[in-house]
Amino acid sequence: ETITTDSTAHARRSVKSAVDRVAADVRRAYPAATIRVTEHTALWVDVDKAFDHAIRHALENGIEHADRDAPTVTVEIDESPNTGRVEIRIDDEGPPIPPIELDALDDHQETTPTRHGSGCGLFVMKWCLESLGGELRIEPANESGNSVYFYLPPKSPPDDAN
């Protein structure tokens, strides 16, 4: 699949409907998994294939790397209390993402034959969000698993949003 940054491919959507659309596809691919999407604040963003790819990648990672047969991934949608940006938090039950994978997201880290990440998935997710003016943050979740945060610029609802 080609991921484009062509601005003509953007569509304004409610964050919940955009996430729900991708989550429905992932649920069909992983029927044993539970994906819960909760919207605390109704927000709008401009989305494209890059948005869909980033959401899909975070959900699939949360399912595929979980150490249980029926994993749960939760998605919380709200306004960031610090910045006013759209905050999409995706929590999984998997093992912590290795520090070397997280370090690979930092542009200032040098990749060497003995120091490198095992894949480019997190970097592609970061690039997808940056193509939409957004940002990626990943940290260990409170009890176990990982919390993946997407921050995106909020948009006004379209005139026909009612």
Side-chain angles (χ1 to χ4, degrees):
E1 176 178 359
T2 302
I3 301 170
T4 179
T5 59
D6 180 359
S7 63
T8 62
H10 288 184
R12 182 135 324 153
R13 298 271 187 269
S14 79
V15 178
K16 179 141 182 4
S17 68
V19 171
D20 277 343
R21 187 182 71 238
V22 176
D25 288 342
V26 175
R27 283 184 192 104
R28 281 190 289 277
Y30 299 90
T34 300
I35 301 172
R36 293 190 186 104
V37 180
T38 304
E39 176 185 61
H40 298 286
T41 304
L43 298 162
W44 293 79
V45 290
D46 286 340
V47 300
D48 61 7
K49 287 183 180 181
F51 176 89
D52 291 354
H53 181 81
I55 294 288
R56 180 179 323 282
H57 188 78
L59 294 174
E60 288 177 348
N61 272 355
I63 294 167
E64 291 173 1
H65 295 287
D67 55 0
R68 51 193 71 182
D69 294 332
T72 298
V73 177
T74 60
V75 182
E76 303 268 338
I77 300 165
D78 208 347
E79 183 176 32
S80 171
N82 299 323
T83 65
R85 292 183 295 173
V86 171
E87 179 181 281
I88 303 168
R89 188 182 83 220
I90 301 168
D91 291 331
D92 66 40
E93 301 173 317
I97 296 172
I100 194 165
E101 297 293 329
L102 298 176
D103 290 346
L105 293 174
D106 184 355
D107 294 337
H108 305 292
Q109 293 291 326
E110 182 180 352
T111 300
T112 68
T114 58
R115 187 183 198 309
H116 57 85
S118 63
C120 64
L122 295 178
F123 181 79
V124 171
M125 195 166 44
K126 177 183 174 186
W127 176 84
C128 287
L129 292 170
E130 288 176 350
S131 76
L132 295 165
E135 180 183 342
L136 173 68
R137 188 179 95 212
I138 301 172
E139 59 186 40
N142 291 336
E143 298 295 318
S144 65
N146 302 283
S147 292
V148 177
Y149 293 85
F150 293 0
Y151 296 101
L152 294 162
K155 301 295 180 182
S156 300
D159 293 335
D160 62 353
N162 298 336

